Amino acid sequence: GARSGSGGSGSGASESGSYSSATQFRSSGNFSPWVSLENAIKAAAPNTMVAVDVSSNSIIVRGARDEVEEAERIVRRANEVHNRQITLTLRIMRVRYDDTSSAGANFQAAYNRLMTGGASDFALNLTSPSSLVGGDAGGFGYKILDAQSRWKGTEGVLQAISQLGTIVSDETESYPTMNRRTIPVAQFENDTYLAETTPASGGVLGGGGSGIPGLKPGTITTGFFLSMTPTAYDDGTVWLDMTLDQSEKRGPFGTAGTGSGDTFQQIQLPNTKVDTKSPTVAIKAGETLMLVNSNRSSFSHSRKTGLLGVSGSGDKMREMQIMLVTPFVRTL
């Protein structure tokens, strides 16, 4: 960003800023079923003539009967492999872990007599501080009931609670494809922010003062791009080549400003996080692969202490994104 200013009547300061973020990941591979099939036929039946007709999606084989039958077996096998239909079920959950805990010890003491027999009675009451423990906390308490005890009326309570786990969102989609065909999945959201201010010069506010600043918005895009390439084998194993490119906002926008009064200028500063993963896994058809990504966390704690009591409350919030991928294979 940059800022400028000058003295004199009717002048003002200006400030501008820009933000740019780009991530690129490329993974490529070339594979031709026609070349592979032609080479396989020539290796198994070397005395045949093989011609590939891509326009009709067929292959022509000419030769002795036993070699042509061997070529037909190879072609049928190739059709079986390439015609496997795979459905990938993708479930995306955002789970907020509220590691909320609270604990406290609260005592109410009432000292009724200094000593037994003949002394003047007097009362001394001690009260514990107000508690930070929530109303959902379980408790364990006691109370002295003996009428002759100088500590009659004394009671104490111990409380504690701990809780975690709330599903914020849960989405499930199914994506059908053929064997070894890539599925791209993308989810993005756009946010608008104040990227630049352009102050006008003079006269709009009256009395020859500074002009009203113009506002120039900017756009920040966050989300994820997921590509999945499944390969199904005869034993029911499915290989998944995956690429996950994910970006997210990290808290509220920051600000930067300069000037004062009519010349005050302020812009917003985006704060993002980018993460890229490229896992390759092998799972059985019908099994589920789980990918967990911890996004952000925050922590706060409060404590109160007194002569006859103490209590504390802590809150650690953590949001996690969980992706569940399940492949299903069907041979046509």
Side-chain angles (χ1 to χ4, degrees):
R3 64 179 181 179
S4 62
S6 60
S9 174
S11 65
S14 65
E15 181 163 342
S16 63
S18 62
Y19 174 84
S20 177
S21 177
T23 300
Q24 185 179 53
F25 181 86
R26 182 183 298 272
S27 177
S28 61
N30 295 322
F31 130 89
S32 171
W34 297 113
V35 174
S36 302
L37 186 59
E38 183 178 0
N39 292 336
I41 293 176
K42 289 182 177 180
N47 298 320
T48 58
M49 183 191 71
V50 182
V52 174
D53 186 1
V54 179
S55 62
S56 62
N57 199 34
S58 61
I59 190 167
I60 301 172
V61 180
R62 183 176 180 180
R65 173 177 293 182
D66 56 341
E67 290 192 338
V68 171
E69 290 177 350
E70 180 66 17
E72 182 181 8
R73 186 189 65 80
I74 295 174
V75 171
R76 287 179 177 176
R77 172 61 180 164
N79 284 334
E80 178 186 345
V81 172
H82 293 293
N83 287 337
R84 287 173 182 163
Q85 183 169 324
I86 303 175
T87 300
L88 295 178
T89 300
L90 177 62
R91 181 180 181 183
I92 302 176
M93 295 188 297
R94 295 191 71 89
V95 181
R96 177 174 299 162
Y97 287 88
D98 295 319
D99 295 334
T100 302
S101 62
S102 59
N106 305 302
F107 303 98
Q108 309 293 335
Y111 189 68
N112 295 324
R113 293 182 299 180
L114 182 62
M115 56 183 150
T116 59
S120 299
D121 291 348
F122 74 97
L124 174 63
N125 294 319
L126 300 177
T127 303
S128 63
S130 58
S131 178
L132 293 171
V133 181
D136 294 332
F140 170 79
Y142 69 91
K143 186 174 183 179
I144 297 177
L145 302 176
D146 187 358
Q148 302 300 320
S149 173
R150 65 186 63 185
W151 294 101
K152 180 181 180 299
T154 297
E155 60 185 30
V157 177
L158 302 177
Q159 292 178 285
I161 187 173
S162 179
Q163 48 185 306
L164 57 88
T166 301
I167 296 179
V168 179
S169 62
D170 190 349
E171 301 178 5
T172 302
E173 297 286 347
S174 295
Y175 302 94
T177 186
M178 302 302 290
N179 200 12
R180 305 188 69 179
R181 301 296 192 271
T182 300
I183 301 175
V185 181
Q187 289 186 6
F188 296 101
E189 61 180 21
N190 295 322
D191 290 282
T192 304
Y193 68 99
L194 179 58
E196 185 177 347
T197 61
T198 55
S201 57
V204 179
L205 297 179
S210 300
I212 299 176
L215 306 179
K216 183 177 179 180
T219 302
I220 179 174
T221 302
T222 55
F224 75 89
F225 179 84
L226 173 66
S227 66
M228 301 176 289
T229 305
T231 302
Y233 293 95
D234 293 339
D235 61 355
T237 302
V238 178
W239 277 50
L240 277 178
D241 293 314
M242 308 177 67
T243 298
L244 175 62
D245 189 358
Q246 186 171 11
S247 62
E248 63 174 4
K249 299 184 293 292
R250 300 186 64 180
F253 292 160
T255 58
T258 186
S260 62
D262 295 339
T263 64
F264 178 69
Q265 308 290 313
Q266 180 173 276
I267 60 174
Q268 292 178 303
L269 305 175
N271 187 10
T272 61
K273 174 186 175 183
V274 179
D275 188 16
T276 299
K277 298 182 179 68
S278 299
T280 299
V281 296
I283 59 177
K284 289 291 186 178
E287 293 182 345
T288 299
L289 169 69
M290 182 173 66
L291 300 176
V292 180
N293 183 32
S294 181
N295 293 330
R296 56 182 179 268
S297 61
S298 61
F299 179 77
S300 62
H301 180 74
S302 299
R303 180 183 177 91
K304 285 187 177 181
T305 305
L307 181 63
L308 291 176
V310 60
S311 63
S313 177
D315 185 8
K316 182 179 180 181
M317 188 193 76
R318 180 180 58 192
E319 279 197 5
M320 302 182 70
Q321 183 182 70
I322 301 175
M323 292 186 178
L324 304 175
V325 184
T326 307
F328 298 96
V329 181
R330 183 168 66 93
T331 301
L332 299 179

